[in-house]
Amino acid sequence: MKDIFLLAYRDIKERKARTSLTLLGIAVGIAAVIALMSVGYGFQQSVTGELVEMADLIMVLPGKASLGSEYVELGSFNERDLKDVGRIGGVKETATGASSMEEVEYRGEKTVVSIVGIEPRDVGVVFGDMVKTEEGRFLRDNDHKACLIGHSIAKDYFDEEIRVNDRLKIGGSKFRVVGILEKQGGFKSELDSEIRVTRRDAKSILGNDGISWIFVRVRNIGEAEEIADEIEERIDENHKLDDFTSAMTMGSVIDQLKTIFTLLQAVLIAIASISLIVASIGIMNTMLMSVMERTHEVGIMKAIGAKNRNVLSLFLLESGMLSVVGGVLGCVLGVTGANVISIGIGAALGEGIPAIVRPEVLLGGILVAVLVGVLSGLYPARKASRMSPVEAVRYE
Amino acid sequence: MIRAENLSKVYRMGKIEVPALRDVSLEIKEGEFLAIVGSSGSGKSTLLNMLGCLDKPTSGAVFIDGVNTASLNENELAEIRREEIGFIFQQFNLIHSLNALENVSLPMFFAGVSSEERMKRAAELLAKVGLRERMHHKPSELSGGQQQRVAIARALSNNPEIIIGDEPTGNVDSETGNAIMGILEGLNREGRTVIVVTHDTEIAAHAPRVKRMKDGRLLEQ
């Protein structure tokens, strides 16, 4: 067995330039698939990974809400709804907020920004301790006409950068900036372009005390779906409406996101597979040329007693060896490529999305390479094995 | 041992049929040394290819040890070539990427002989044909006569009863040619059946039995 490897290896070695180009073809094909999968998976993890930490969260909204479709607000909740939600078994804590788009003025410049009214202590319910300020502090219960602004609002929304203690005019009254949040990006990127005020101040800006959303933390993640159903039922009953409330668990959001990512990855892989098809044509071409050049040699082998399957396995082994080496090289190129892409994305977007290379993807890459190699080597190998010895030996 | 009955071979070149063998019958006994002489195009190589199971006749049959080779499939023919026949060609037909030792061990490789045994036997055979010092040389590093001796060692590797030489001296000078014929005579003395095809009557003179061919027919002496 060892010797047939040596025989195949020697044949490969004799045609260095051609085999290394073929190798490169396979390697690039495999590398493209591995790089795209790793970047895609890294992206998926960086989005859903944050959400997994919030898996005990249920978002309750007054309107039809689902991922991938426009949210239509049908009204607002009231204090009674909030109380009822708090009484449901398994609910650990609740947080509420009101939001609307309002005109904001800074040093004579005006724009429209999403204003969120939230009880200062509720910030932790919604985001845990993942959100930090870059400058200044969070809101406090006794703050009056104070606001906490997102990173983009401070840096990009106005010609002049907003600093802590600067003043903004929101809905006609002046607010003092007490803190600027760190840049968030990813799934929490909406925090970057929001201004937070206390619920009390929000009431005076909005002119009503409607609740735009309720966030619920549950004690046991396993019960989240049931509790979400119960929340929808209770609030719909309060308002005497069907399908008024949407209670989405983070779990279901994660599932939906995963579906979207899987689809996205499938498309990327399909595109990358084209290079694999091209590579397999390359192997077939190389092997066909090799068979043709070695017609005389095949004739000799058959004349001295090689059976068809001896010849077949020799050529198959050769294309198999080519593709294994190509596959391994492809893994190395793929991992490098994935990191280069992720650094490139990081430089372009200003936030790093680390590529995640899973071992099963590498293993799969090598397996696919071998499969491609053997399949595209099959036709040339059969052609060689079926040559007539007397004609092949006469061929020069 | 080998019996050819009414062998005919017709090659088709487009629409023209070219008869290479016309109704050839021949019997070769075990341990015989036969030379077939003829000019190029006389059909002697075609006949040899039939006798050596490299090619199939258009009509007629070749019997080897009483077995009709026309009834055998490709794999069975390959087995006969591997185990019972040793080929020596005019062009030596060694594999260039392999050294002498590896070339000689190749038929044993196809026969599934273990690596150590192959190397041992190949070395013995190369020593027997006087190439003890050149075992690790590639064909391109050997002279024509040396290459032909490697080819003879290769023909012997599975210890066949029949040795077939197609112009084995055609590509070497006459001195080397005589030496090669000497080796073949030695093999014949060991009891092997040797069949040689040549256009050179001087070379044919080494064989006790000589047959002449012309225009695809065997001439009666």
Side-chain angles (χ1 to χ4, degrees), chain A residues 185-325:
Chain A
F187 190 70
K188 294 185 307 235
S189 61
E190 60 187 40
L191 283 179
D192 291 335
S193 46
E194 283 174 351
I195 295 180
R196 272 143 217 287
V197 297
T198 61
R199 281 278 283 138
R200 202 171 48 238
D201 285 341
K203 260 178 227 171
S204 72
I205 298 169
L206 272 56
N208 64 59
D209 60 355
I211 295 169
S212 312
W213 43 262
I214 304 172
F215 276 19
V216 178
R217 291 248 176 206
V218 297
R219 279 181 221 288
N220 182 352
I221 295 168
E223 295 171 357
E225 288 298 335
E226 284 167 46
I227 293 172
D229 288 346
E230 201 171 337
I231 291 170
E232 286 185 355
E233 228 169 89
R234 290 278 178 94
I235 301 179
D236 281 358
E237 212 171 280
N238 285 351
H239 292 260
K240 305 267 185 288
L241 285 166
D242 282 338
D243 295 332
F244 169 65
T245 318
S246 298
M248 276 191 296
T249 64
M250 258 319 159
S252 71
V253 172
I254 293 169
D255 285 346
Q256 289 178 56
L257 277 175
K258 276 186 179 160
T259 313
I260 292 171
F261 275 110
T262 309
L263 252 145
L264 198 71
Q265 282 211 348
V267 172
L268 287 179
I269 291 165
I271 294 168
S273 301
I274 294 172
S275 59
L276 265 181
I277 293 170
V278 174
S280 77
I281 295 171
I283 301 178
M284 200 182 282
N285 187 35
T286 301
M287 292 308 297
L288 273 176
M289 281 177 77
S290 167
V291 166
M292 242 179 65
E293 280 173 5
R294 281 153 64 199
T295 299
H296 183 62
E297 212 176 289
V298 171
I300 298 169
M301 289 188 187
K302 294 192 96 176
I304 62 174
K307 291 185 178 176
N308 288 3
R309 68 177 152 80
N310 295 130
V311 177
L312 187 82
S313 54
L314 179 66
F315 281 95
L316 271 187
L317 195 67
E318 210 175 299
S319 64
M321 276 163 76
L322 265 182
S323 53
V324 172
V325 177

Side-chain angles (χ1 to χ4, degrees), chain A residues 297 300-301 304, chain B residues 93-99 103 106 139 154:
Chain A
E297 212 176 289
I300 298 169
M301 289 188 187
I304 62 174
Chain B
N93 285 343
L94 299 174
I95 289 175
H96 297 289
S97 58
L98 302 180
N99 67 27
N103 262 295
L106 202 55
R154 180 179 67 184

Side-chain angles (χ1 to χ4, degrees), chain A residues 76-121:
Chain A
S76 57
F77 300 134
N78 52 39
E79 291 299 327
R80 185 181 157 208
D81 298 331
L82 181 63
K83 236 177 244 164
D84 284 350
V85 169
R87 268 192 222 117
I88 294 171
V91 169
K92 193 165 87 186
E93 51 190 347
T94 58
T96 60
S99 52
S100 75
M101 301 299 285
E102 297 295 332
E103 192 179 79
V104 175
E105 188 184 329
Y106 177 63
R107 295 192 181 164
E109 217 183 318
K110 286 178 185 170
T111 188
V112 174
V113 176
S114 170
I115 308 293
V116 177
I118 186 167
E119 294 298 343
R121 64 185 144 75

Side-chain angles (χ1 to χ4, degrees), chain B residues 55-76:
Chain B
D55 207 352
K56 287 188 167 184
T58 311
S59 68
V62 174
F63 294 84
I64 292 180
D65 285 332
V67 177
N68 185 353
T69 57
S71 66
L72 302 177
N73 65 26
E74 271 189 57
N75 275 338
E76 290 164 326

Side-chain angles (χ1 to χ4, degrees), chain A residues 3-4 7 10-11 14 296-297 300-308 310 385 389-390 393-394 396, chain B residues 11 49 54-55 74-75 78-79 81-82 87 89 93-95 97-98 102 106-107 109-110 115 118 154:
Chain A
D3 309 76
I4 193 161
L7 208 62
R10 222 164 295 196
D11 294 328
E14 277 204 347
H296 183 62
E297 212 176 289
I300 298 169
M301 289 188 187
K302 294 192 96 176
I304 62 174
K307 291 185 178 176
N308 288 3
N310 295 130
S385 75
V390 72
V393 88
R394 225 185 274 143
E396 285 297 331
Chain B
Y11 290 112
N49 288 338
L54 274 181
D55 207 352
E74 271 189 57
N75 275 338
E79 239 167 83
R81 291 196 296 269
R82 197 182 72 201
F87 277 97
F89 302 91
N93 285 343
L94 299 174
I95 289 175
S97 58
L98 302 180
E102 290 159 338
L106 202 55
F109 168 69
F110 293 132
S115 171
R118 271 192 339 248
R154 180 179 67 184

Side-chain angles (χ1 to χ4, degrees), chain B residues 22 29 31 56-58 66 69 123 141 148 150 158 161 193 197 205:
Chain B
R22 303 166 197 254
K29 294 198 172 60
K56 287 188 167 184
T58 311
T69 57
E141 299 158 351
Q148 195 60 299
V150 174
N158 283 326
E161 288 181 45
T193 309
V197 149

Side-chain angles (χ1 to χ4, degrees), chain A residues 30 33-35 37-38 331 356-366:
Chain A
I30 296 291
V33 173
I34 288 177
M37 282 186 86
S38 301
C331 287
I356 299 175
V357 182
R358 284 172 296 169
E360 63 262 33
V361 169
L362 293 183
L363 197 72
I366 292 173

